[in-house]
Amino acid sequence: MRDLLAPKSLLRLATAIASSLGAAALLAFAVTTPARADADAARLSLAKSLAMLKTGNISAARNHAQAAIKEDPNWGLAHAVLARAFLSLGDGLGAEGELDRAKAAGFDPKRAQQLYAHAYLLQGDAKRALSTAATVPPRFAGYAVRVGARALAAQGDLPGAQRALANLLSVDPGNSAAWSDLGRVRFDGGDVGGAIEAAVKATALDPANIEALTLRGELVRGQYGLIAALPWFEAALARDAYYHPALIEYASTLGDAGRYGDMLDATRRALAARPGSAQAYYLQAVLAARAGNDDLARTLLQRTGDALNGLPGALLLGGMLDYEAGGYEQAINKWRELVGRQPMNITARRLLGAALLRSGDAQGALDVLRPVAARFDADSYTLTLVARAFERTGERDWAGKFLDRAAFPARDASLPFGTDDSLAVLGGLANDNPDDPVRRVVFLRGLADAGDYGAALAQAQALTRTSPGAPAAWLATGDMLMVMKRYDEASAAYRHAADIRFDEPTMLRTVDALDHAGHRAEAANALALFLSQNPQNIAGQRLAAHWQIAAGEFDAAIETLENLRQRVGNGDAALLTELAYAYIGDGDETTGMTYAKAAYTLAPLNPATTDAYGWALYQSGDNKGAVQLLEKAVSIAPEHAMLRWHLGQAYADFGRGSDARAQIDAALSDPTFTDREAAAALLKTLV
């Protein structure tokens, strides 16, 4: 114990963490004897703080530094160490205050410039952070470079930030903090593959780097899924149970995985770590909204104040709560801002279009929804909104066209999202900064919208060569190949993207391409892998249920679909249709009829709902009613083989052999038709 209290022992502890604390600034005061009588207690507390910083327990380091200051308020070193803890916890204001106190107590300000620069950066003043970092003495240059790089990134100069960090790492390759900074900058710039590489190196060099552990969790969440990410956040929290950034990411991941109780516990810990945390209140508001408690969600969201202004998730949730409460103008304002920030956010455009239409601004709704409705894979809801908007403007011919599309929207491969800028403008923006993959992707989207798929594909493929770690480049390449019906090549491109980030859009693209290429087993494996990591994902569950029905696994399909219905309600015609098919396939015609009728009531012009209702009537023995509906379904979608197969069976039972043969022949002519054996057997019995 006596050795631990001695100045030399404290000196050794300070030296051990010199790279992260600014060693010379601390060592200059490590041998200074505190003036108070309880100097030994202050020394012990500060020694513990330094030890905790080294092991990654920043919250404990802060507490011990505060204890040292309480025991000796005039010890400059203790204030400097507390400032360093505050910086690691993201508290720039607290850090600046402690640095000022350290300076007032005699701490050399020249040895704290890098810490001041970091504090300014955390307060959002990137310009001041850069100018301050430029005054840092050479002995602290590594820290200053890191702060400067993060300031450049905050100003939007991601390539410059990466170059600065790469230069630092070329002379100091063992700098774990610099690797984690580089990983964050690469992640923000869309180079997910490069971010993964940097984060792996950061955690390997220093397993106590909780910032790197948290980043690793975020990257694993995108690369492999929710469940795989949890251990990384837990590893960070095992070192510091109250590390706020890890708690927020952990809570968000738990919620998406359906572990709502654990999510709530994590948000409460985040509030304990940072009282008034806007992020924690936002996550609690999301949790309340999911539980249907809009009043509580609204109250919690209000507690965030202005801290989350502009955050896409908060704008989306706030608009939904306003809309539910009848505050349509407030909802419109929030969703308009969201669309302005994320013009490719289809969900936001749908919501804004619906709100504008309800408020009487039909033309505004058309302007917002037009880019979505122009897609080949536009959903029925959006197309119906557009049709209603055209009705309001008196353009009934256009309204009729979009209602026809809404009844059975084509599910072709989608073109990239449209843009209002000209190709010349987009090309100029891309050429101004060729290292920016985002601008290159926008340019190739413009080429695709103009119909120049070959040039768009060439741009996308070039982007995969210059930015191989950017999933957007591989997705763009796959999208172009899908439009060109080169499915095997598209699935290969999507697999490259999935190796970097396996999220819902990547999964859906990968599964679709593999299925189109005839690799259903591989597609099923990809879907199963995604759902194993993202068990609450609605799109994945829908697709799984559809395939379960196709495979005759009706019990499993019913379980999947009923769970979905509990979550999305009874207003989804497609979901009710699938439930009808599943129950009928399972031999429960009564329940199947109930769902089929409900689906048909919601969407009487949709061929799938019409066919389901007709098929339910056929199974119940009402051949006449069945034939009428099945004929209607085929007239809407004559190219759909399964609809013709159902109608053929009804014709056969109704004694219309020649008509049945014609329908079955048409079904068999489609190479994608799967029920070929049964169709061929029935065909042999027809005369």
Side-chain angles (χ1 to χ4, degrees):
M1 179 64 72
R2 182 174 301 167
D3 288 342
L4 180 61
L5 300 179
K8 289 184 179 180
S9 295
L10 184 56
L11 180 63
R12 285 196 296 272
L13 282 169
T15 303
I17 60 168
S19 62
S20 62
L21 287 175
L26 299 178
L27 298 182
F29 284 82
V31 296
T32 300
T33 302
R36 291 174 53 115
D38 49 357
D40 285 349
R43 287 172 181 263
L44 179 58
S45 294
L46 194 62
K48 290 178 179 179
S49 178
L50 294 171
M52 291 298 99
L53 280 171
K54 185 177 180 181
T55 61
N57 193 340
I58 311 301
S59 298
R62 175 198 58 201
N63 296 341
H64 287 301
Q66 289 171 331
I69 290 169
K70 184 177 180 180
E71 290 147 0
D72 192 326
N74 297 316
W75 195 12
L77 177 60
H79 287 287
V81 172
L82 179 56
R84 185 63 186 89
F86 278 142
L87 291 173
S88 293
L89 293 171
D91 185 356
L93 280 172
E96 183 181 3
E98 288 304 319
L99 289 171
D100 289 343
R101 295 182 186 95
K103 189 166 57 173
F107 195 85
D108 186 354
K110 294 181 181 179
R111 300 175 183 242
Q113 287 298 93
Q114 72 282 357
L115 303 179
Y116 271 112
H118 194 176
Y120 300 146
L121 177 64
L122 291 175
Q123 294 174 52
D125 194 345
K127 184 177 180 180
R128 191 179 183 189
L130 274 170
S131 62
T132 305
T135 68
V136 171
R139 69 185 69 183
F140 309 125
Y143 197 126
V145 169
R146 289 180 48 228
V147 173
R150 291 169 65 172
L152 287 172
Q155 293 180 331
D157 186 4
L158 296 175
Q162 291 193 53
R163 285 192 296 270
L165 290 167
N167 290 336
L168 172 59
L169 287 166
S170 68
V171 297
D172 186 12
N175 192 326
S176 172
W179 278 113
S180 60
D181 287 341
L182 180 59
R184 179 64 67 184
V185 171
R186 284 175 171 174
F187 190 22
D188 292 343
D191 183 6
V192 181
I196 292 169
E197 177 188 11
V200 168
K201 289 184 178 179
T203 53
L205 286 166
D206 182 7
N209 185 340
I210 57 176
E211 187 175 347
L213 289 170
T214 303
L215 174 61
R216 191 81 176 95
E218 294 176 61
L219 292 165
V220 167
R221 183 172 58 198
Q223 186 180 18
Y224 298 114
L226 302 170
I227 307 304
L230 292 174
W232 289 98
F233 299 129
E234 289 163 355
L237 294 171
R239 292 187 174 273
D240 185 347
Y242 290 92
Y243 183 57
H244 184 265
L247 283 169
I248 293 299
E249 296 298 337
Y250 188 47
S252 175
T253 307
L254 287 166
D256 287 342
R259 291 171 54 181
Y260 301 126
D262 293 333
M263 174 189 180
L264 181 59
D265 177 66
T267 61
R268 287 171 174 165
R269 286 165 58 191
L271 284 167
R274 186 175 296 178
S277 167
Q279 292 165 296
Y281 280 134
Y282 164 69
L283 290 175
Q284 289 185 351
V286 170
L287 191 57
R290 286 176 178 172
N293 192 339
D294 289 352
D295 289 338
L296 177 59
R298 195 173 295 107
T299 299
L300 290 166
L301 197 59
Q302 288 172 349
R303 290 182 183 176
T304 66
D306 298 330
L308 300 182
N309 281 355
L311 181 72
L315 289 170
L316 184 66
L317 176 60
M320 292 174 66
L321 294 172
D322 287 337
Y323 193 86
E324 290 294 327
Y328 304 124
E329 287 303 318
Q330 296 94 318
I332 287 171
N333 290 336
K334 288 184 174 69
W335 290 335
R336 197 187 297 279
E337 181 181 350
L338 177 55
V339 170
R341 291 175 177 272
Q342 296 184 334
M344 294 177 62
N345 188 326
I346 293 178
T347 299
R349 283 185 177 270
R350 286 195 200 106
L351 292 170
L352 177 57
L356 287 168
L357 187 60
R358 180 160 188 163
S359 72
D361 186 1
Q363 187 58 53
L366 286 173
D367 292 341
V368 168
L369 294 170
R370 185 178 292 111
V372 184
R375 293 167 60 106
F376 291 154
D377 66 342
D379 60 283
S380 297
Y381 180 67
T382 299
L383 294 170
T384 301
L385 286 175
V386 170
R388 299 308 178 205
F390 275 123
E391 286 178 349
R392 299 275 184 90
T393 61
E395 299 171 271
R396 296 195 173 276
D397 289 345
W398 280 103
K401 292 177 181 179
F402 277 94
L403 282 174
D404 288 343
R405 283 189 62 199
F408 186 55
R411 288 297 174 182
D412 296 333
S414 64
L415 285 174
F417 203 91
T419 176
D420 294 330
D421 290 322
S422 68
L423 280 176
V425 171
L426 296 174
L429 289 172
N431 291 328
D432 285 345
N433 195 345
D435 294 331
D436 188 341
V438 175
R439 293 188 179 188
R440 305 301 301 182
V441 169
V442 172
F443 177 47
L444 70 88
R445 287 195 183 106
L447 290 169
D449 288 340
D452 194 348
Y453 301 140
L457 176 60
Q459 283 283 330
Q461 291 172 328
L463 190 56
T464 63
R465 292 189 291 272
T466 58
S467 301
W474 295 105
L475 292 177
T477 300
D479 290 346
M480 292 303 101
L481 291 166
M482 285 294 288
V483 170
M484 300 166 76
K485 301 188 185 304
R486 293 160 60 176
Y487 302 124
D488 273 314
E489 295 172 80
S491 64
Y494 291 144
R495 278 194 291 260
H496 277 292
D499 287 340
I500 305 168
R501 185 180 64 203
F502 195 40
D503 56 6
E504 179 187 305
T506 305
M507 178 276 292
L508 292 173
R509 284 173 163 92
T510 304
V511 169
D512 188 40
L514 288 168
D515 197 23
H516 272 84
H519 308 308
R520 173 58 71 91
E522 291 182 55
N525 287 338
L527 175 60
L529 177 61
F530 179 80
L531 285 174
S532 71
Q533 289 292 321
N534 305 276
Q536 296 293 304
N537 184 268
I538 291 176
Q541 293 288 355
R542 281 181 181 275
L543 185 55
H546 184 75
W547 283 7
Q548 286 166 343
I549 292 172
E553 300 170 0
F554 300 115
D555 282 340
I558 289 169
E559 181 179 359
T560 302
L561 291 166
E562 287 290 8
N563 287 335
L564 279 175
R565 188 175 67 85
Q566 291 296 319
R567 296 170 61 193
V568 305
N570 295 318
D572 189 318
L575 177 59
L576 299 180
T577 299
E578 295 276 58
L579 275 165
Y581 285 131
Y583 275 108
I584 291 170
D586 201 43
D588 187 350
E589 289 85 3
T590 301
T591 305
M593 177 73 76
T594 300
Y595 281 122
K597 188 174 182 179
Y600 183 73
T601 301
L602 289 170
L605 295 178
N606 186 292
T609 61
T610 304
D611 176 76
Y613 193 17
W615 189 243
L617 290 173
Y618 171 70
Q619 295 295 326
S620 70
D622 184 358
N623 283 0
K624 184 176 181 180
V627 166
Q628 290 177 347
L629 286 168
L630 294 173
E631 286 177 339
K632 176 182 175 180
V634 169
S635 70
I636 298 171
E639 75 285 357
H640 199 296
M642 188 58 71
L643 303 187
R644 287 187 174 274
W645 167 227
H646 286 171
L647 179 57
Q649 292 176 76
Y651 277 154
D653 283 359
F654 213 49
R656 296 170 56 176
S658 61
D659 291 333
R661 180 179 291 278
Q663 295 299 324
I664 296 171
D665 282 337
L668 288 168
S669 68
D670 184 346
T672 65
F673 177 57
T674 56
D675 208 357
R676 309 185 74 82
E677 185 176 343
L682 179 58
L683 197 61
K684 291 179 181 179
T685 68
L686 299 175
V687 294

